[in-house]
Amino acid sequence: MPQKKFYISKEELIELYINQKLSADKIRKMYKCSPNTVAGLLKEYNIPVRSLKEARKNTFERNVGFILTAEIIMGKINEGMFVYQVAELFGVSESTISHTLNKAGIHLKHDENYKKFMYKNRSQPPLDKDSTGYKRKVEALKEAMKKKSELAQLRYEVAHLRDFEEYKYACMQIAYQHYTRERPKGYQMDHKFSISDGYKYGVPAPILSHPFNLRLVTALENNLKGESSIISLEELYKGTEQELNHSIKEIKTLTKPCEYCGGEFQVKNKNQRFCKKECAASWRWHNDYKNKIVHRDCVICGKSFPIRETYPTVTCSKSCSSTLNHRKRREKQMEKFNISKDKLYDLYINQKKSKLAISKIYGCSNYLIDLLLKDFGITQRNYSEQQLANFERKLGFKITSDLILEKVNEGLFIYQIADMWGVSNGTLSQILKKDGKSIGHRAKDS
């Protein structure tokens, strides 16, 4: 199974995103991961995300190689350039130029020198609204808009003879003439006789978007209805007062074979190549991914395994992937709590502190200390050895067999020595047995 998680260290991300000012999209292309992965890591590492305005500014500065300032802009304007010419020169919008100047406290509309320059270099003098030239210009604009509207109406009337997308656009544009885009919140415009059925039966767009066939419904009702119709074709023509035999037009249904399965299907536009989504996905697999298989060595067990070239997977199985994730989390925790092998060895072996005591020192869990001892190869004490280490730490000296025999020679019994040191009889007997020494005859007296 492909490994979906991907890890980028905090230092690498700061270097790329903050210092080099690369975008999140470029970073995810470098590491071949998803945009959500980069966004999640930025949030996890508490790295401030740039706004769209800052991102565009960084892109511009990276492309031109310098920072666009108000001084540079005013230098070009003083050379005799207009604002739009400065914007075209630097490849930015006019609003960017104006915003940069306004931020520096420079307002061209209040600048008398710039006003004189604009008046002197204008292409033609302003027209008087009462003049004949102004009225002639307004009439020409009205005539042009009328012709444009007539051409659009003609395209809408024959849209059912073209592809589905153009037909759908025509139906919606005509519907907006009856229902404006400003509708009650939560309501959508719906065709009783659906657009897909209208295209199938060749219904002209003006008839399909007649007020009789339009209604306002909630989003839920519209989604439940889908592409189905709630009225018949005859009811549509009867409600719009049109004659079915004269208005409806014959259209030829275009069919073509699917490029994957070979089955015939009806196409809604000329660029459609597959009969369904499953065929498109299968075609992409066989043509784009199947032959791009590479062999990698597992970073955990070293075994070679096949994987798609586009996948960042570095482990061969679930177990190895789990091990790698545990290792990365452990390294992250070690870095967080500042735990090293030497420090852990000194606390556990030399100072003989328990795992619980060490976890309290670092402020981490006892389980993490146990895992790190195993990873570092440090031999762990059993329960009795830990108990003995606790007693020795409290007493301030190490209990040895020679020390026990010395107390015995002084006339003390085993139970008395155990009570004096706060340990059990079995602990002392175990220490003597470990060194090959015994005082059985005195132990019986106890």
Side-chain angles (χ1 to χ4, degrees):
M1 180 179 178
Q3 180 180 337
K4 294 184 179 179
K5 292 187 176 181
F6 195 81
Y7 180 77
I8 306 174
S9 66
K10 184 176 181 180
E11 292 74 15
E12 288 180 284
L13 200 55
I14 290 175
E15 174 63 27
L16 294 172
Y17 191 75
I18 302 298
N19 298 338
Q20 299 184 23
K21 295 185 178 181
L22 295 181
S23 64
D25 186 61
K26 286 194 175 182
I27 295 173
R28 69 102 181 165
K29 287 180 180 178
M30 287 173 57
Y31 289 93
K32 295 182 179 179
C33 61
S34 68
N36 291 337
T37 301
V38 178
L41 289 174
L42 289 172
K43 184 177 180 182
E44 182 181 346
Y45 295 147
N46 294 323
I47 299 175
V49 180
R50 290 190 290 267
S51 63
L52 180 61
K53 179 180 175 182
E54 293 173 334
R56 286 176 175 172
K57 182 180 178 182
N58 289 340
T59 303
F60 168 76
E61 292 175 358
R62 191 165 55 248
N63 291 338
V64 300
F66 60 87
I67 299 175
L68 184 62
T69 61
E71 290 76 12
I72 297 176
I73 296 172
M74 288 305 299
K76 296 296 181 182
I77 290 176
N78 293 332
E79 291 176 6
M81 297 181 68
F82 292 100
V83 171
Y84 77 90
Q85 292 174 326
V86 178
E88 290 178 357
L89 176 65
F90 292 121
V92 296
S93 65
E94 294 182 36
S95 60
T96 301
I97 300 295
S98 301
H99 180 74
T100 305
L101 293 174
N102 293 339
K103 194 174 181 182
I106 302 172
H107 302 282
L108 293 177
K109 62 181 180 180
H110 302 312
D111 191 339
E112 294 297 331
N113 294 330
Y114 187 72
K115 284 182 178 180
K116 291 178 182 178
F117 173 75
M118 290 286 292
Y119 185 82
K120 181 180 178 181
N121 293 278
R122 61 188 176 182
S123 57
Q124 55 185 0
L127 294 175
D128 185 9
K129 292 185 178 181
D130 296 329
S131 64
T132 308
Y134 180 82
K135 294 179 180 179
R136 192 184 308 116
K137 192 172 184 178
V138 171
E139 290 296 329
L141 286 173
K142 288 182 179 180
E143 188 67 24
M145 291 298 295
K146 183 179 179 181
K147 288 183 180 179
K148 186 177 179 181
S149 177
E150 291 175 353
L151 289 174
Q153 193 66 27
L154 181 61
R155 287 199 306 272
Y156 296 160
E157 290 177 359
V158 297
H160 62 289
L161 301 175
R162 302 179 183 274
D163 58 23
F164 177 74
E165 293 300 326
E166 186 172 347
Y167 179 72
K168 181 179 178 181
Y169 175 80
C171 292
M172 297 306 296
Q173 291 299 318
I174 297 174
Y176 287 143
Q177 297 174 6
H178 304 294
Y179 283 101
T180 61
R181 299 175 192 270
E182 297 180 0
R183 295 183 289 273
K185 187 176 181 180
Y187 282 83
Q188 297 178 355
M189 185 171 56
D190 176 56
H191 289 75
K192 299 176 186 177
F193 193 79
S194 67
I195 295 177
S196 58
D197 287 345
Y199 183 74
K200 180 179 178 181
Y201 292 105
V203 181
I207 296 178
L208 191 75
S209 294
H210 190 276
F212 169 78
N213 195 40
L214 300 176
R215 62 171 185 163
L216 290 177
V217 296
T218 62
L220 178 61
E221 292 175 340
N222 199 11
N223 290 336
L224 292 175
K225 175 179 173 290
E227 295 183 353
S228 58
S229 302
I230 61 174
I231 61 174
S232 64
L233 184 63
E234 290 75 12
E235 291 174 335
L236 170 65
Y237 275 87
K238 184 178 179 180
T240 56
E241 299 179 355
Q242 299 288 336
E243 293 185 9
L244 178 61
N245 296 332
H246 299 286
S247 298
I248 195 166
K249 300 177 181 179
E250 294 290 335
I251 59 172
K252 294 182 179 179
T253 303
L254 178 61
T255 60
K256 62 189 298 188
C258 175
E259 291 189 15
Y260 179 72
C261 65
E264 294 284 337
F265 69 99
Q266 295 182 4
V267 296
K268 294 183 178 180
N269 59 71
K270 60 183 179 181
N271 297 323
Q272 192 172 354
R273 299 163 57 193
F274 307 99
C275 59
K276 51 187 177 181
K277 293 181 180 179
E278 290 77 5
C279 287
S282 300
W283 185 91
R284 283 195 298 271
W285 158 250
H286 284 87
N287 291 274
D288 294 343
Y289 302 124
K290 186 177 181 181
N291 298 326
K292 295 183 180 180
I293 302 296
V294 295
H295 287 267
R296 296 178 187 161
D297 294 332
C298 179
V299 296
I300 300 298
C301 64
K303 179 181 176 182
S304 179
F305 64 97
I307 192 68
R308 289 187 193 177
E309 187 179 12
T310 55
Y311 283 176
T313 309
V314 293
T315 53
C316 62
S317 61
K318 286 184 178 180
S319 60
C320 289
S321 175
S322 178
T323 304
L324 179 63
N325 290 336
H326 279 294
R327 183 179 296 176
K328 287 181 177 179
R329 284 197 294 269
R330 210 166 301 149
E331 290 174 355
K332 198 173 179 181
Q333 289 175 328
M334 286 175 60
E335 182 182 352
K336 178 181 178 182
F337 297 110
N338 194 21
I339 305 174
S340 64
K341 182 178 180 180
D342 296 335
K343 289 182 180 179
L344 194 60
Y345 186 87
D346 179 63
L347 291 171
Y348 190 75
I349 300 298
N350 299 337
Q351 301 183 30
K352 292 188 177 180
K353 291 187 179 293
S354 64
K355 290 182 282 187
L356 181 62
I358 296 173
S359 66
K360 289 181 179 179
I361 292 173
Y362 285 107
C364 60
S365 65
N366 189 18
Y367 177 68
L368 176 61
I369 300 299
D370 185 54
L371 291 176
L372 292 176
L373 289 172
K374 291 179 182 178
D375 288 348
F376 294 150
I378 300 174
T379 305
Q380 299 189 45
R381 296 184 289 269
N382 55 33
Y383 179 75
S384 60
E385 290 174 341
Q386 184 59 51
Q387 289 292 97
L388 181 60
N390 293 339
F391 293 142
E392 291 175 352
R393 191 169 59 256
K394 290 179 181 179
L395 294 171
F397 59 86
K398 186 177 182 180
I399 302 175
T400 62
S401 58
D402 294 335
L403 189 59
I404 297 172
L405 291 174
E406 182 182 341
K407 295 296 181 181
V408 170
N409 293 333
E410 291 177 1
L412 295 176
F413 292 101
I414 290 293
Y415 79 93
Q416 292 174 325
I417 300 171
D419 290 343
M420 181 176 62
W421 288 341
V423 297
S424 65
N425 298 353
T427 301
L428 298 180
S429 301
Q430 188 177 7
I431 294 173
L432 292 170
K433 186 177 180 181
K434 187 177 180 181
D435 294 339
K437 298 178 181 180
S438 176
I439 50 171
H441 62 286
R442 295 300 303 274
K444 289 179 182 177
D445 296 338
S446 64

